[in-house]
mmCIF file of all heavy atoms in Angstrom:
data_model
loop_
_atom_site.group_PDB
_atom_site.id
_atom_site.type_symbol
_atom_site.label_atom_id
_atom_site.label_comp_id
_atom_site.label_asym_id
_atom_site.label_seq_id
_atom_site.Cartn_x
_atom_site.Cartn_y
_atom_site.Cartn_z
ATOM 1 N N ILE A 685 -9.799 6.310 -2.168
ATOM 2 C CA ILE A 685 -10.810 5.770 -1.273
ATOM 3 C C ILE A 685 -11.568 4.669 -1.998
ATOM 4 O O ILE A 685 -11.595 4.598 -3.228
ATOM 5 C CB ILE A 685 -11.816 6.849 -0.811
ATOM 6 C CG1 ILE A 685 -12.565 7.429 -2.002
ATOM 7 C CG2 ILE A 685 -11.116 7.931 -0.007
ATOM 8 C CD1 ILE A 685 -13.784 8.219 -1.641
ATOM 9 N N VAL A 686 -12.179 3.767 -1.217
ATOM 10 C CA VAL A 686 -12.959 2.659 -1.755
ATOM 11 C C VAL A 686 -14.226 2.497 -0.941
ATOM 12 O O VAL A 686 -14.356 3.026 0.172
ATOM 13 C CB VAL A 686 -12.154 1.340 -1.720
ATOM 14 C CG1 VAL A 686 -10.956 1.398 -2.637
ATOM 15 C CG2 VAL A 686 -11.713 1.024 -0.287
ATOM 16 N N LEU A 687 -15.194 1.781 -1.505
ATOM 17 C CA LEU A 687 -16.407 1.483 -0.750
ATOM 18 C C LEU A 687 -16.065 0.654 0.489
ATOM 19 O O LEU A 687 -15.258 -0.272 0.426
ATOM 20 C CB LEU A 687 -17.383 0.693 -1.624
ATOM 21 C CG LEU A 687 -18.205 1.509 -2.636
ATOM 22 C CD1 LEU A 687 -18.882 0.564 -3.617
ATOM 23 C CD2 LEU A 687 -19.248 2.344 -1.906
ATOM 24 N N LEU A 688 -16.677 0.985 1.589
ATOM 25 C CA LEU A 688 -16.430 0.253 2.831
ATOM 26 C C LEU A 688 -16.801 -1.216 2.668
ATOM 27 O O LEU A 688 -16.149 -2.105 3.201
ATOM 28 C CB LEU A 688 -17.215 0.883 3.979
ATOM 29 C CG LEU A 688 -17.130 0.186 5.335
ATOM 30 C CD1 LEU A 688 -15.672 0.111 5.797
ATOM 31 C CD2 LEU A 688 -17.961 0.909 6.374
ATOM 32 N N GLN A 689 -17.853 -1.478 1.886
ATOM 33 C CA GLN A 689 -18.282 -2.850 1.647
ATOM 34 C C GLN A 689 -17.149 -3.678 1.042
ATOM 35 O O GLN A 689 -16.912 -4.829 1.436
ATOM 36 C CB GLN A 689 -19.502 -2.864 0.733
ATOM 37 C CG GLN A 689 -20.141 -4.229 0.544
ATOM 38 C CD GLN A 689 -21.336 -4.145 -0.415
ATOM 39 O OE1 GLN A 689 -21.326 -3.343 -1.344
ATOM 40 N NE2 GLN A 689 -22.327 -4.962 -0.170
ATOM 41 N N GLU A 690 -16.439 -3.101 0.088
ATOM 42 C CA GLU A 690 -15.323 -3.793 -0.562
ATOM 43 C C GLU A 690 -14.142 -3.950 0.423
ATOM 44 O O GLU A 690 -13.477 -4.988 0.416
ATOM 45 C CB GLU A 690 -14.878 -3.020 -1.793
ATOM 46 C CG GLU A 690 -15.933 -2.947 -2.888
ATOM 47 C CD GLU A 690 -15.462 -2.131 -4.082
ATOM 48 O OE1 GLU A 690 -14.327 -1.602 -4.033
ATOM 49 O OE2 GLU A 690 -16.227 -2.037 -5.050
ATOM 50 N N GLU A 691 -13.920 -2.926 1.215
ATOM 51 C CA GLU A 691 -12.830 -2.995 2.186
ATOM 52 C C GLU A 691 -13.099 -4.054 3.247
ATOM 53 O O GLU A 691 -12.193 -4.751 3.720
ATOM 54 C CB GLU A 691 -12.615 -1.630 2.830
ATOM 55 C CG GLU A 691 -11.387 -1.494 3.681
ATOM 56 C CD GLU A 691 -10.095 -1.333 2.881
ATOM 57 O OE1 GLU A 691 -10.170 -1.348 1.632
ATOM 58 O OE2 GLU A 691 -9.038 -1.196 3.508
ATOM 59 N N LEU A 692 -14.380 -4.212 3.617
ATOM 60 C CA LEU A 692 -14.746 -5.255 4.592
ATOM 61 C C LEU A 692 -14.518 -6.656 4.034
ATOM 62 O O LEU A 692 -14.056 -7.548 4.733
ATOM 63 C CB LEU A 692 -16.205 -5.100 5.006
ATOM 64 C CG LEU A 692 -16.514 -3.924 5.948
ATOM 65 C CD1 LEU A 692 -18.028 -3.753 6.109
ATOM 66 C CD2 LEU A 692 -15.880 -4.161 7.325
ATOM 67 N N LYS A 693 -14.819 -6.843 2.783
ATOM 68 C CA LYS A 693 -14.573 -8.135 2.124
ATOM 69 C C LYS A 693 -13.080 -8.437 2.121
ATOM 70 O O LYS A 693 -12.647 -9.563 2.392
ATOM 71 C CB LYS A 693 -15.108 -8.128 0.710
ATOM 72 C CG LYS A 693 -14.951 -9.450 -0.035
ATOM 73 C CD LYS A 693 -15.547 -9.375 -1.426
ATOM 74 C CE LYS A 693 -15.385 -10.720 -2.146
ATOM 75 N NZ LYS A 693 -13.959 -11.120 -2.299
ATOM 76 N N MET A 694 -12.285 -7.416 1.809
ATOM 77 C CA MET A 694 -10.841 -7.573 1.840
ATOM 78 C C MET A 694 -10.369 -7.927 3.243
ATOM 79 O O MET A 694 -9.498 -8.787 3.433
ATOM 80 C CB MET A 694 -10.174 -6.277 1.366
ATOM 81 C CG MET A 694 -8.656 -6.269 1.355
ATOM 82 S SD MET A 694 -7.856 -6.008 2.966
ATOM 83 C CE MET A 694 -8.498 -4.399 3.392
ATOM 84 N N ALA A 695 -10.944 -7.273 4.254
ATOM 85 C CA ALA A 695 -10.543 -7.502 5.649
ATOM 86 C C ALA A 695 -10.807 -8.948 6.065
ATOM 87 O O ALA A 695 -10.015 -9.558 6.778
ATOM 88 C CB ALA A 695 -11.267 -6.545 6.576
ATOM 89 N N LYS A 696 -11.925 -9.497 5.597
ATOM 90 C CA LYS A 696 -12.244 -10.901 5.938
ATOM 91 C C LYS A 696 -11.247 -11.857 5.291
ATOM 92 O O LYS A 696 -10.820 -12.833 5.907
ATOM 93 C CB LYS A 696 -13.660 -11.214 5.513
ATOM 94 C CG LYS A 696 -14.717 -10.473 6.331
ATOM 95 C CD LYS A 696 -16.131 -10.730 5.827
ATOM 96 C CE LYS A 696 -17.152 -9.942 6.670
ATOM 97 N NZ LYS A 696 -18.545 -10.110 6.190
ATOM 98 N N ASP A 697 -10.877 -11.578 4.035
ATOM 99 C CA ASP A 697 -9.849 -12.401 3.386
ATOM 100 C C ASP A 697 -8.517 -12.258 4.124
ATOM 101 O O ASP A 697 -7.804 -13.242 4.338
ATOM 102 C CB ASP A 697 -9.662 -11.962 1.928
ATOM 103 C CG ASP A 697 -10.800 -12.425 1.033
ATOM 104 O OD1 ASP A 697 -11.477 -13.411 1.396
ATOM 105 O OD2 ASP A 697 -10.997 -11.805 -0.020
ATOM 106 N N TYR A 698 -8.217 -11.043 4.518
ATOM 107 C CA TYR A 698 -6.969 -10.795 5.210
ATOM 108 C C TYR A 698 -6.948 -11.503 6.556
ATOM 109 O O TYR A 698 -5.909 -12.067 6.948
ATOM 110 C CB TYR A 698 -6.789 -9.285 5.404
ATOM 111 C CG TYR A 698 -5.500 -8.906 6.086
ATOM 112 C CD1 TYR A 698 -4.271 -9.225 5.533
ATOM 113 C CD2 TYR A 698 -5.518 -8.208 7.294
ATOM 114 C CE1 TYR A 698 -3.091 -8.877 6.157
ATOM 115 C CE2 TYR A 698 -4.339 -7.838 7.922
ATOM 116 C CZ TYR A 698 -3.131 -8.176 7.350
ATOM 117 O OH TYR A 698 -1.958 -7.842 7.986
ATOM 118 N N PHE A 699 -8.085 -11.500 7.254
ATOM 119 C CA PHE A 699 -8.113 -12.153 8.564
ATOM 120 C C PHE A 699 -8.004 -13.670 8.420
ATOM 121 O O PHE A 699 -7.484 -14.338 9.303
ATOM 122 C CB PHE A 699 -9.383 -11.783 9.328
ATOM 123 C CG PHE A 699 -9.290 -12.144 10.787
ATOM 124 C CD1 PHE A 699 -8.506 -11.371 11.649
ATOM 125 C CD2 PHE A 699 -9.933 -13.254 11.291
ATOM 126 C CE1 PHE A 699 -8.384 -11.714 12.977
ATOM 127 C CE2 PHE A 699 -9.811 -13.586 12.631
ATOM 128 C CZ PHE A 699 -9.050 -12.818 13.474
ATOM 129 N N TYR A 700 -8.505 -14.214 7.288
ATOM 130 C CA TYR A 700 -8.330 -15.655 7.045
ATOM 131 C C TYR A 700 -6.834 -16.000 7.005
ATOM 132 O O TYR A 700 -6.417 -17.033 7.556
ATOM 133 C CB TYR A 700 -9.012 -16.049 5.732
ATOM 134 C CG TYR A 700 -8.726 -17.476 5.348
ATOM 135 C CD1 TYR A 700 -9.492 -18.521 5.864
ATOM 136 C CD2 TYR A 700 -7.662 -17.796 4.496
ATOM 137 C CE1 TYR A 700 -9.210 -19.848 5.519
ATOM 138 C CE2 TYR A 700 -7.369 -19.101 4.143
ATOM 139 C CZ TYR A 700 -8.152 -20.125 4.659
ATOM 140 O OH TYR A 700 -7.878 -21.435 4.329
ATOM 141 N N LEU A 701 -6.052 -15.139 6.368
ATOM 142 C CA LEU A 701 -4.605 -15.366 6.314
ATOM 143 C C LEU A 701 -3.996 -15.334 7.711
ATOM 144 O O LEU A 701 -3.116 -16.146 8.038
ATOM 145 C CB LEU A 701 -3.942 -14.313 5.415
ATOM 146 C CG LEU A 701 -4.451 -14.157 3.995
ATOM 147 C CD1 LEU A 701 -3.606 -13.155 3.233
ATOM 148 C CD2 LEU A 701 -4.483 -15.493 3.256
ATOM 149 N N ILE A 702 -4.475 -14.424 8.543
ATOM 150 C CA ILE A 702 -3.959 -14.312 9.905
ATOM 151 C C ILE A 702 -4.310 -15.565 10.719
ATOM 152 O O ILE A 702 -3.461 -16.122 11.433
ATOM 153 C CB ILE A 702 -4.518 -13.052 10.588
ATOM 154 C CG1 ILE A 702 -3.971 -11.796 9.920
ATOM 155 C CG2 ILE A 702 -4.167 -13.044 12.081
ATOM 156 C CD1 ILE A 702 -4.542 -10.509 10.448
ATOM 157 N N GLN A 703 -5.566 -15.995 10.626
ATOM 158 C CA GLN A 703 -5.993 -17.181 11.387
ATOM 159 C C GLN A 703 -5.252 -18.429 10.919
ATOM 160 O O GLN A 703 -4.929 -19.303 11.732
ATOM 161 C CB GLN A 703 -7.505 -17.363 11.237
ATOM 162 C CG GLN A 703 -8.308 -16.383 12.090
ATOM 163 C CD GLN A 703 -9.783 -16.729 12.086
ATOM 164 O OE1 GLN A 703 -10.381 -16.954 11.026
ATOM 165 N NE2 GLN A 703 -10.397 -16.753 13.266
ATOM 166 N N THR A 704 -5.017 -18.520 9.615
ATOM 167 C CA THR A 704 -4.271 -19.662 9.113
ATOM 168 C C THR A 704 -2.840 -19.658 9.627
ATOM 169 O O THR A 704 -2.277 -20.721 9.969
ATOM 170 C CB THR A 704 -4.261 -19.656 7.560
ATOM 171 O OG1 THR A 704 -5.601 -19.659 7.084
ATOM 172 C CG2 THR A 704 -3.525 -20.859 7.022
ATOM 173 N N ARG A 705 -2.287 -18.503 9.733
ATOM 174 C CA ARG A 705 -0.905 -18.373 10.188
ATOM 175 C C ARG A 705 -0.759 -18.565 11.686
ATOM 176 O O ARG A 705 0.191 -19.197 12.162
ATOM 177 C CB ARG A 705 -0.372 -17.000 9.776
ATOM 178 C CG ARG A 705 1.095 -16.759 10.126
ATOM 179 C CD ARG A 705 1.528 -15.387 9.661
ATOM 180 N NE ARG A 705 2.908 -15.117 10.021
ATOM 181 C CZ ARG A 705 3.525 -13.949 9.834
ATOM 182 N NH1 ARG A 705 2.846 -12.928 9.317
ATOM 183 N NH2 ARG A 705 4.766 -13.800 10.188
ATOM 184 N N TYR A 706 -1.717 -18.015 12.475
ATOM 185 C CA TYR A 706 -1.566 -18.010 13.921
ATOM 186 C C TYR A 706 -2.581 -18.904 14.650
ATOM 187 O O TYR A 706 -2.548 -18.987 15.879
ATOM 188 C CB TYR A 706 -1.706 -16.590 14.454
ATOM 189 C CG TYR A 706 -0.616 -15.653 13.976
ATOM 190 C CD1 TYR A 706 -0.899 -14.665 13.038
ATOM 191 C CD2 TYR A 706 0.684 -15.770 14.465
ATOM 192 C CE1 TYR A 706 0.101 -13.801 12.601
ATOM 193 C CE2 TYR A 706 1.683 -14.899 14.035
ATOM 194 C CZ TYR A 706 1.377 -13.921 13.093
ATOM 195 O OH TYR A 706 2.368 -13.092 12.652
ATOM 196 N N GLY A 707 -3.501 -19.527 13.919
ATOM 197 C CA GLY A 707 -4.486 -20.398 14.551
ATOM 198 C C GLY A 707 -5.484 -19.621 15.398
ATOM 199 O O GLY A 707 -5.962 -18.562 14.986
ATOM 200 N N ASP A 708 -5.782 -20.123 16.599
ATOM 201 C CA ASP A 708 -6.767 -19.505 17.484
ATOM 202 C C ASP A 708 -6.215 -18.322 18.291
ATOM 203 O O ASP A 708 -6.897 -17.825 19.196
ATOM 204 C CB ASP A 708 -7.336 -20.547 18.446
ATOM 205 C CG ASP A 708 -8.130 -21.625 17.694
ATOM 206 O OD1 ASP A 708 -8.665 -21.297 16.642
ATOM 207 O OD2 ASP A 708 -8.172 -22.774 18.171
ATOM 208 N N ALA A 709 -5.029 -17.896 17.974
ATOM 209 C CA ALA A 709 -4.436 -16.789 18.725
ATOM 210 C C ALA A 709 -5.198 -15.493 18.485
ATOM 211 O O ALA A 709 -5.164 -14.567 19.310
ATOM 212 C CB ALA A 709 -2.962 -16.612 18.349
ATOM 213 N N TYR A 710 -5.932 -15.434 17.356
ATOM 214 C CA TYR A 710 -6.736 -14.241 17.033
ATOM 215 C C TYR A 710 -8.132 -14.654 16.608
ATOM 216 O O TYR A 710 -8.306 -15.619 15.859
ATOM 217 C CB TYR A 710 -6.070 -13.448 15.891
ATOM 218 C CG TYR A 710 -4.701 -12.894 16.233
ATOM 219 C CD1 TYR A 710 -3.562 -13.630 15.956
ATOM 220 C CD2 TYR A 710 -4.565 -11.650 16.854
ATOM 221 C CE1 TYR A 710 -2.310 -13.142 16.262
ATOM 222 C CE2 TYR A 710 -3.319 -11.162 17.164
ATOM 223 C CZ TYR A 710 -2.184 -11.907 16.878
ATOM 224 O OH TYR A 710 -0.952 -11.412 17.207
ATOM 225 N N THR A 711 -9.123 -13.915 17.117
ATOM 226 C CA THR A 711 -10.508 -14.123 16.690
ATOM 227 C C THR A 711 -11.036 -12.818 16.117
ATOM 228 O O THR A 711 -10.554 -11.742 16.458
ATOM 229 C CB THR A 711 -11.391 -14.590 17.852
ATOM 230 O OG1 THR A 711 -11.338 -13.597 18.890
ATOM 231 C CG2 THR A 711 -10.923 -15.915 18.392
ATOM 232 N N PHE A 712 -12.040 -12.931 15.259
ATOM 233 C CA PHE A 712 -12.492 -11.769 14.488
ATOM 234 C C PHE A 712 -14.014 -11.700 14.499
ATOM 235 O O PHE A 712 -14.685 -12.705 14.301
ATOM 236 C CB PHE A 712 -11.965 -11.909 13.059
ATOM 237 C CG PHE A 712 -12.167 -10.711 12.195
ATOM 238 C CD1 PHE A 712 -11.529 -9.501 12.474
ATOM 239 C CD2 PHE A 712 -12.971 -10.775 11.064
ATOM 240 C CE1 PHE A 712 -11.696 -8.398 11.663
ATOM 241 C CE2 PHE A 712 -13.151 -9.674 10.251
ATOM 242 C CZ PHE A 712 -12.509 -8.480 10.553
ATOM 243 N N GLU A 713 -14.562 -10.505 14.749
ATOM 244 C CA GLU A 713 -16.013 -10.327 14.767
ATOM 245 C C GLU A 713 -16.375 -8.968 14.153
ATOM 246 O O GLU A 713 -15.741 -7.958 14.443
ATOM 247 C CB GLU A 713 -16.534 -10.386 16.202
ATOM 248 C CG GLU A 713 -18.048 -10.218 16.327
ATOM 249 C CD GLU A 713 -18.528 -10.227 17.767
ATOM 250 O OE1 GLU A 713 -17.675 -10.338 18.682
ATOM 251 O OE2 GLU A 713 -19.746 -10.093 17.965
ATOM 252 N N VAL A 714 -17.398 -8.969 13.277
ATOM 253 C CA VAL A 714 -17.872 -7.738 12.632
ATOM 254 C C VAL A 714 -19.313 -7.507 13.031
ATOM 255 O O VAL A 714 -20.156 -8.386 12.882
ATOM 256 C CB VAL A 714 -17.762 -7.812 11.099
ATOM 257 C CG1 VAL A 714 -18.297 -6.528 10.461
ATOM 258 C CG2 VAL A 714 -16.329 -8.059 10.665
ATOM 259 N N VAL A 715 -19.618 -6.316 13.536
ATOM 260 C CA VAL A 715 -20.973 -5.943 13.908
ATOM 261 C C VAL A 715 -21.331 -4.642 13.224
ATOM 262 O O VAL A 715 -20.627 -3.629 13.395
ATOM 263 C CB VAL A 715 -21.135 -5.793 15.446
ATOM 264 C CG1 VAL A 715 -22.534 -5.310 15.781
ATOM 265 C CG2 VAL A 715 -20.828 -7.095 16.130
ATOM 266 N N ASP A 716 -22.412 -4.634 12.435
ATOM 267 C CA ASP A 716 -22.851 -3.452 11.715
ATOM 268 C C ASP A 716 -24.035 -2.837 12.456
ATOM 269 O O ASP A 716 -25.119 -3.414 12.482
ATOM 270 C CB ASP A 716 -23.208 -3.797 10.280
ATOM 271 C CG ASP A 716 -23.411 -2.567 9.398
ATOM 272 O OD1 ASP A 716 -23.515 -1.457 9.962
ATOM 273 O OD2 ASP A 716 -23.462 -2.712 8.173
ATOM 274 N N GLU A 717 -23.848 -1.653 13.033
ATOM 275 C CA GLU A 717 -24.904 -0.962 13.759
ATOM 276 C C GLU A 717 -25.468 0.221 12.957
ATOM 277 O O GLU A 717 -26.171 1.069 13.485
ATOM 278 C CB GLU A 717 -24.351 -0.426 15.090
ATOM 279 C CG GLU A 717 -23.807 -1.516 16.006
ATOM 280 C CD GLU A 717 -23.201 -0.944 17.257
ATOM 281 O OE1 GLU A 717 -23.090 0.311 17.342
ATOM 282 O OE2 GLU A 717 -22.819 -1.722 18.144
ATOM 283 N N SER A 718 -25.189 0.239 11.642
ATOM 284 C CA SER A 718 -25.528 1.422 10.856
ATOM 285 C C SER A 718 -26.726 1.238 9.929
ATOM 286 O O SER A 718 -26.828 1.894 8.912
ATOM 287 C CB SER A 718 -24.319 1.826 10.000
ATOM 288 O OG SER A 718 -24.003 0.798 9.082
ATOM 289 N N ALA A 719 -27.642 0.296 10.278
ATOM 290 C CA ALA A 719 -28.795 0.052 9.431
ATOM 291 C C ALA A 719 -29.639 1.318 9.296
ATOM 292 O O ALA A 719 -29.989 1.962 10.271
ATOM 293 C CB ALA A 719 -29.640 -1.085 9.997
ATOM 294 N N ILE A 720 -29.960 1.688 8.054
ATOM 295 C CA ILE A 720 -30.815 2.855 7.798
ATOM 296 C C ILE A 720 -31.846 2.500 6.757
ATOM 297 O O ILE A 720 -31.745 1.478 6.076
ATOM 298 C CB ILE A 720 -29.977 4.057 7.302
ATOM 299 C CG1 ILE A 720 -29.277 3.675 6.000
ATOM 300 C CG2 ILE A 720 -28.981 4.512 8.333
ATOM 301 C CD1 ILE A 720 -28.567 4.836 5.340
ATOM 302 N N LYS A 721 -32.824 3.363 6.584
ATOM 303 C CA LYS A 721 -33.847 3.144 5.571
ATOM 304 C C LYS A 721 -33.294 3.490 4.205
ATOM 305 O O LYS A 721 -32.724 4.535 4.000
ATOM 306 C CB LYS A 721 -35.084 4.007 5.847
ATOM 307 C CG LYS A 721 -35.814 3.656 7.122
ATOM 308 C CD LYS A 721 -37.005 4.564 7.305
ATOM 309 C CE LYS A 721 -37.729 4.269 8.596
ATOM 310 N NZ LYS A 721 -38.890 5.151 8.781
ATOM 311 N N MET A 722 -33.520 2.586 3.276
ATOM 312 C CA MET A 722 -33.089 2.854 1.905
ATOM 313 C C MET A 722 -34.073 3.795 1.223
ATOM 314 O O MET A 722 -33.710 4.555 0.334
ATOM 315 C CB MET A 722 -32.991 1.534 1.124
ATOM 316 C CG MET A 722 -32.416 1.680 -0.271
ATOM 317 S SD MET A 722 -32.210 0.098 -1.062
ATOM 318 C CE MET A 722 -31.509 0.597 -2.630
ATOM 319 N N SER A 723 -35.363 3.771 1.635
ATOM 320 C CA SER A 723 -36.351 4.626 1.017
ATOM 321 C C SER A 723 -37.288 5.143 2.090
ATOM 322 O O SER A 723 -37.585 4.452 3.051
ATOM 323 C CB SER A 723 -37.148 3.846 -0.049
ATOM 324 O OG SER A 723 -38.240 4.605 -0.496
ATOM 325 N N SER A 724 -37.758 6.372 1.931
ATOM 326 C CA SER A 724 -38.698 6.950 2.878
ATOM 327 C C SER A 724 -40.129 6.502 2.589
ATOM 328 O O SER A 724 -41.038 6.752 3.379
ATOM 329 C CB SER A 724 -38.608 8.480 2.823
ATOM 330 O OG SER A 724 -38.907 8.930 1.531
#
């Protein structure tokens, strides 16, 4: 297993390869709805 943060960075690099290969045939959007308090 790996940190999700690192996996997301990898996913963005990976999607760059897809967009370069296929152009506008694919679009990519990331939305984080998991904001929480770091401290009480």
Side-chain angles (χ1 to χ4, degrees):
I685 62 165
V686 294
L687 280 168
L688 177 58
Q689 187 181 33
E690 296 178 358
E691 190 77 359
L692 285 171
K693 182 178 181 300
M694 179 280 300
K696 292 176 181 178
D697 286 337
Y698 182 60
F699 195 74
Y700 173 85
L701 305 184
I702 293 175
Q703 284 189 311
T704 302
R705 183 179 179 185
Y706 296 108
D708 295 331
Y710 297 92
T711 59
F712 189 65
E713 180 183 1
V714 179
V715 176
D716 191 347
E717 300 176 353
S718 63
I720 61 173
K721 295 180 182 179
M722 186 176 181
S723 171
S724 59

